């Protein structure tokens, strides 16, 4: 990767913030403090321009025209595939499959790989901190294939109960599906170790990198995973585009679940044959502009460099954890030593939705609810939390504004 600290001029935060048009807008007459980056990130100008340029001047479908524009669109689309390969350290470019997002990527594996590889009595292991999109597709696969879903529990500090790995993994484990970073707790999981334990038992490993991809460099070889999924929109890219990485040998064995254009070698009524990877798993016209926008997002992030991004976000998370943690009655949920920049909390008996509403009035975008991780809420005995999730463009002043909003809320609901 090219994110070494050496040879890089210091990053100018004001200039970086200037790259994001949304940071210039007001909400309820207040400057926007966007603290919902775990839900989706704001988009920098190069991403917006890449998408707009495609629609303004370069519209064409891919993989099918000899004409100039079609070839150009194809080149740009395929150039993003290569950028993704490089970003996550995959060996081969055809190991990168474009989908509509993390959810679609996981469902593709559950349906295609699941139906080809799972049978009655087989076990799928997930963790208690998974997003619903890394639980429900496996429950559906279990129902279809007669498998059993097993769960790796969470400890009080929001880390995984690692000694339980020996008990939960078994010779019947066919797949470990685990998130690299929790959207509700922030916890970063020791995925490489978990993957090694799963591989020892002959199980495949799927990594949900939705909450990790924007915050730290990824390396699918070092993780030792068979699959990795992420969404473009959490990496400063467009919505409606995502990635499924699959190890080539594993992808080769996966039957397509969607048939149609672009995924075939030849079609006859007697029977059809399928194209090679990656096209075999990308039926139909994809989100061309979205993929091109994702390419611009990857360039943008790598230009900033993960050294700076990690340092900046670590500082923001530390400041926010200290400031919110110091409020009387505040309870921070998720105290793992290694966290993505996510701060989940409750304050006394105040309902998180009330916190969210008061914060909204101040122009602060705060997420409240179960964060599509209801098992986590149940584990910690809360119906919901308020969640501030940070990106490198956030500021200490925005954290101060959050703290002021919490105090205001405490006054209102005293
Ligand atoms: N996995 C994790 C860990 C996530 O945080 C999310 C989305 C998904 C999967 C699904 O991603 P999608 O792009 O396919 O929807 N998480 C959140 C969130 O925390 N708030 O809104 C979406």
């Amino acid at each position: 990767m090219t994110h070494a600290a050496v040879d890089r001029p210091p990053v100018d935060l004001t200039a970086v913030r200037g790259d994001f048009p949304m940071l210039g807008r007001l909400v309820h007459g207040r400057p926007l403090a966007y603290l919902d980056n775990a839900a989706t990130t704001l988009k920098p100008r190069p991403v917006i321009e890449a998408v707009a340029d495609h629609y303004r001047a370069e519209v064409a479908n891919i993989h099918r025209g000899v004409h100039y524009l079609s070839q150009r669109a194809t080149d740009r689309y395929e150039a993003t595939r290569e950028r993704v390969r490089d970003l996550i350290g995959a060996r081969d470019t055809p190991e990168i499959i474009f989908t509509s997002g993390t959810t679609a990527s996981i469902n593709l594996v559950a349906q295609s790989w699941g139906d080809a590889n799972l049978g009655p009595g087989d076990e799928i292991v997930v963790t208690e901190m998974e997003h619903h999109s890394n639980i429900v597709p496996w429950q559906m696969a279990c129902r279809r294939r007669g498998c059993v879903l097993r769960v790796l529990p969470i400890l009080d500090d929001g880390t995984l109960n690692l000694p339980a790995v020996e008990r939960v993994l078994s010779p019947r484990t066919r797949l470990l599906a685990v998130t690299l970073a929790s959207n509700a707790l922030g916890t970063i999981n020791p995925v490489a170790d978990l993957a090694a334990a799963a591989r020892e038992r002959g199980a495949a490993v799927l990594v949900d990198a939705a909450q990790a991809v924007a915050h730290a460099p990824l390396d699918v070889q070092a993780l030792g995973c068979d699959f990795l999924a992420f969404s473009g929109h959490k990496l400063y890219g467009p919505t409606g585009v995502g990635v499924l990485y699959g190890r080539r040998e594993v992808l080769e064995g996966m039957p397509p679940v969607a048939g149609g254009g672009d995924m075939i070698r030849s079609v006859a009524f007697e029977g059809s044959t399928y194209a090679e990877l990656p096209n075999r798993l990308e039926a139909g016209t994809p989100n061309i502009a979205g993929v091109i926008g994702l390419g611009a997002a990857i360039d943008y992030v790598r230009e900033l460099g993960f050294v700076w991004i990690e340092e900046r976000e670590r500082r923001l998370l530390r400041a926010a954890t200290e400031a919110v943690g110091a409020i009387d009655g505040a309870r921070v949920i998720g105290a793992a030593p290694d966290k993505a920049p996510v701060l989940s909390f409750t304050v006394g008996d105040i309902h998180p939705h009330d916190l969210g509403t008061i914060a909204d009035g101040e122009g602060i975008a705060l997420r409240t609810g179960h964060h599509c991780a209801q098992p986590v809420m149940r584990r910690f005995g809360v119906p919901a939390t308020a969640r501030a999730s940070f990106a490198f463009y956030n500021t200490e002043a925005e954290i101060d504004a959050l703290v002021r909003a919490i105090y205001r809320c405490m006054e209102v609901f005293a």
Side-chain angles (χ1 to χ4, degrees), residues 356-372:
T357 304
I358 298 267
D360 177 59
E362 310 285 330
I364 303 168
L366 198 64
R367 185 70 155 216
T368 61
H370 55 63
H371 316 296
C372 299

Side-chain angles (χ1 to χ4, degrees), residues 91 95 199 204 221 224-228 245-252 277:
R91 231 179 250 128
E95 295 181 316
R199 273 200 319 274
Q221 317 291 337
C225 58
D226 298 278
F227 301 107
L228 180 136
Y245 156 81
R247 213 157 46 74
R248 186 186 262 276
E249 306 80 74
V250 183
L251 285 182
E252 296 281 6
L277 292 171

Side-chain angles (χ1 to χ4, degrees), residues 38-39 102-103 131 133 179 181 183 208 210-211 231 233-234 367 387:
T102 309
T103 303
H131 187 276
S133 66
T179 194
N183 70 317
D208 175 350
Q211 291 298 342
S231 301
H233 71 93
K234 294 190 201 283
R367 185 70 155 216
R387 182 187 71 183

Side-chain angles (χ1 to χ4, degrees), residues 96-279:
I96 308 303
I97 310 296
F98 289 120
T99 66
S100 63
T102 309
T103 303
S105 298
I106 296 173
N107 277 276
L108 173 58
V109 176
Q111 289 169 26
S112 169
W113 182 90
D115 285 5
N117 291 279
L118 297 171
D122 285 346
E123 295 175 359
I124 297 170
V125 174
V126 297
T127 81
E128 199 177 6
M129 71 175 78
E130 298 309 312
H131 187 276
H132 296 166
S133 66
N134 203 22
I135 299 173
V136 182
W138 304 117
Q139 290 176 321
M140 295 161 92
C142 284
R143 208 168 306 128
R144 285 194 306 275
R145 309 301 302 170
C147 306
V148 180
L149 190 70
R150 304 200 60 191
V151 182
L152 198 55
I154 313 176
L155 299 173
D156 289 345
D157 67 354
T159 60
L160 286 176
N161 182 348
L162 295 175
V165 170
E166 295 301 315
R167 173 164 55 75
V168 175
L169 290 178
S170 87
R172 304 284 342 233
T173 308
R174 291 286 168 272
L175 180 81
L176 168 69
V178 57
T179 194
L180 192 44
S182 156
N183 70 317
L185 299 166
T187 311
I188 294 175
N189 290 315
V191 167
D193 294 344
L194 293 169
R199 273 200 319 274
E200 261 172 42
R201 290 151 176 95
V205 177
L206 177 139
V207 176
D208 175 350
Q211 291 298 342
V213 66
H215 305 298
L218 294 179
D219 182 342
V220 292
Q221 317 291 337
L223 289 171
C225 58
D226 298 278
F227 301 107
L228 180 136
F230 71 85
S231 301
H233 71 93
K234 294 190 201 283
L235 182 63
Y236 311 98
T239 48
V241 57
V243 166
L244 173 66
Y245 156 81
R247 213 157 46 74
R248 186 186 262 276
E249 306 80 74
V250 183
L251 285 182
E252 296 281 6
M254 280 170 50
V257 292
D262 237 20
M263 56 73 72
I264 53 88
R265 188 195 308 277
S266 78
V267 174
F269 288 112
E270 296 71 33
S272 301
T273 55
Y274 304 141
E276 298 291 319
L277 292 171
N279 302 35

Side-chain angles (χ1 to χ4, degrees), residues 48-86:
I48 298 166
E49 288 308 318
V51 173
D53 276 351
H54 172 78
Y55 286 128
R56 194 161 38 217
E58 309 235 285
V59 167
N61 210 327
I62 57 164
H63 295 158
R64 43 198 101 193
V66 295
H67 67 79
Y68 172 80
L69 288 173
S70 178
Q71 297 217 337
R72 194 165 158 80
T74 304
D75 289 348
R76 298 211 146 185
Y77 182 89
E78 293 302 331
T80 297
R81 202 188 302 277
E82 172 54 24
R83 280 179 176 76
V84 172
R85 185 206 64 73
D86 192 52

